């Protein structure tokens, strides 16, 4: 790939795609136009991540708290996800992208759930980048659902309390089998997690960039990957000592 420096590429990048509404407001457009433009940025981000060698790309598309928005905007966002899957699934499949959906499914209405399942099933055998779409996702909701399942197993005598380990909790989350994000990136200048991957992000590098999501280009993404490569990760230990010359 051109322009890409030989850098440490994160295995898993998770993005809080924020700023669609402000992008539209700044142009005197309705918020929905920002969301529409945001879908184009999604397409580019998947391509860039795949080309750069990222193995997992998680995109926060709709949070469990986004139901608090006006009904028309919620309907619009649901419609956009459906349109994205209908229009892009064949292309993504051809590009060997595997799709996973995380988030609560039980309160999704209409044809959205069958579409999400179709996207996962169609691409389940693919071996390229995994695109994880966080839809109707909230970390507290995800953890609550997992805790309830574990509590039920304990109550039924199928699991001892001491069998509840960090590994078992991780395996009970929607992200089971997906490595923790190395990098959590948020656009639009906001510096908060907004209930995104609270367990999985325990040791993620955080990067907040000023660009609004519809303005998030390949170049912005590549420069974020370069910034990540300059970070020193410690995981509670000490920095790797640099080998002395001749040692
Ligand atoms: C991100 O853009 C998209 C979703 C949260 C679904 P916003 O809609 O939050 O845009 P701002 O933050 O209002 O600019
Ligand atoms: C987070 O953005 C959710 C998504 C990007 C889908 P929000 O715009 O909903 O977050 P807050 O409300 O500013 O924290
Ligand atoms: Mg926002």
């Amino acid at each position: 790939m051109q322009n890409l420096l030989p850098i440490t590429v994160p295995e898993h990048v998770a993005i809080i795609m924020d700023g669609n509404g402000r992008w539209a407001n700044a142009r005197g457009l309705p918020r929905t136009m920002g969301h529409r433009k945001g879908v184009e940025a999604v397409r580019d981000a998947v391509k860039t991540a795949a080309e750069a060698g990222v193995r997992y790309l998680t995109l926060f598309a709709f949070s469990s708290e986004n139901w608090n928005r006006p009904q028309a905007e919620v309907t619009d966002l649901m419609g956009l996800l459906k349109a994205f899957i209908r229009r892009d699934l064949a292309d993504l499949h051809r590009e060997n992208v595997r799709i996973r959906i995380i988030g609560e499914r039980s309160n999704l209405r209409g044809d959205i759930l069958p579409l999400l399942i179709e996207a996962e099933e169609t691409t389940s055998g693919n071996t390229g980048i995994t695109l994880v779409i966080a839809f109707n996702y909230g970390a507290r909701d995800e953890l609550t659902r997992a805790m309830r399942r574990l509590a039920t197993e304990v109550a039924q005598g199928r699991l001892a309390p001491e069998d509840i380990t960090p590994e078992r909790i991780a395996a009970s989350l929607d992200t089971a089998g997906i490595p923790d994000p190395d990098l959590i990136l948020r656009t639009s200048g906001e510096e908060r997690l907004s209930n995104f991957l609270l367990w999985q992000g325990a040791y993620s590098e955080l990067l907040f960039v000023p660009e609004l999501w519809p303005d998030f280009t390949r170049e912005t993404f590549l420069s974020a990957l370069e910034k990540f490569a300059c970070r020193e990760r410690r995981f509670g230990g000490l920095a790797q000592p640099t080998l002395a010359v001749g040692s």
Side-chain angles (χ1 to χ4, degrees), residues 15-200:
I15 304 184
I16 302 171
M17 310 183 287
D18 200 14
N20 293 351
R22 278 164 281 168
W23 184 93
N25 280 345
R27 287 162 180 76
L29 297 169
R31 291 176 59 86
T32 176
M33 295 309 289
H35 296 315
R36 259 149 243 271
K37 191 78 180 155
V39 177
E40 292 174 27
V42 165
R43 292 192 181 101
D44 288 348
V46 177
K47 282 201 186 76
T48 305
E51 287 170 14
V54 171
R55 298 296 302 155
Y56 296 83
L57 176 69
T58 298
L59 298 178
F60 201 2
F62 188 88
S63 80
S64 46
E65 288 75 35
N66 286 150
W67 294 102
N68 295 327
R69 296 189 179 197
Q71 181 60 44
E73 180 161 345
V74 169
T75 307
D76 193 52
L77 287 166
M78 299 281 154
L80 276 175
L81 179 76
K82 287 193 276 187
F84 173 72
I85 291 176
R86 287 197 181 107
R87 276 177 44 186
D88 287 56
L89 180 57
D91 284 347
L92 292 166
H93 187 36
R94 206 174 312 114
E95 286 156 22
N96 201 19
V97 176
R98 187 170 55 156
I99 297 175
R100 281 269 306 258
I101 313 289
I102 59 170
E104 168 65 313
R105 299 181 179 206
S106 67
N107 59 344
L108 295 178
R109 297 278 164 264
D111 48 2
I112 196 148
L113 188 54
L115 266 174
L116 297 181
I117 292 169
E118 183 192 340
E120 283 189 320
E121 287 181 351
T122 305
T123 62
S124 64
N126 289 348
T127 54
I129 190 170
T130 298
L131 171 63
V132 183
I133 303 175
F135 190 78
N136 194 21
Y137 175 86
R140 288 180 171 179
D141 173 69
E142 175 192 41
L143 280 159
T144 305
R145 285 185 281 109
M147 294 309 130
R148 279 190 191 143
R149 276 196 303 274
L150 291 171
T152 305
E153 287 191 52
V154 171
Q156 292 173 344
R158 289 188 281 127
L159 190 69
E162 51 275 18
D163 291 335
I164 299 180
T165 57
E167 292 73 24
R168 194 178 283 268
I169 293 174
S172 306
L173 299 175
D174 297 349
T175 49
I178 297 172
D180 288 341
D182 302 290
L183 172 65
I184 296 180
L185 192 154
R186 184 173 188 144
T187 58
S188 88
E190 305 296 344
E191 300 189 356
R192 56 178 171 268
L193 288 174
S194 301
N195 202 13
F196 188 48
L197 300 177
L198 297 184
W199 172 277
Q200 301 87 337

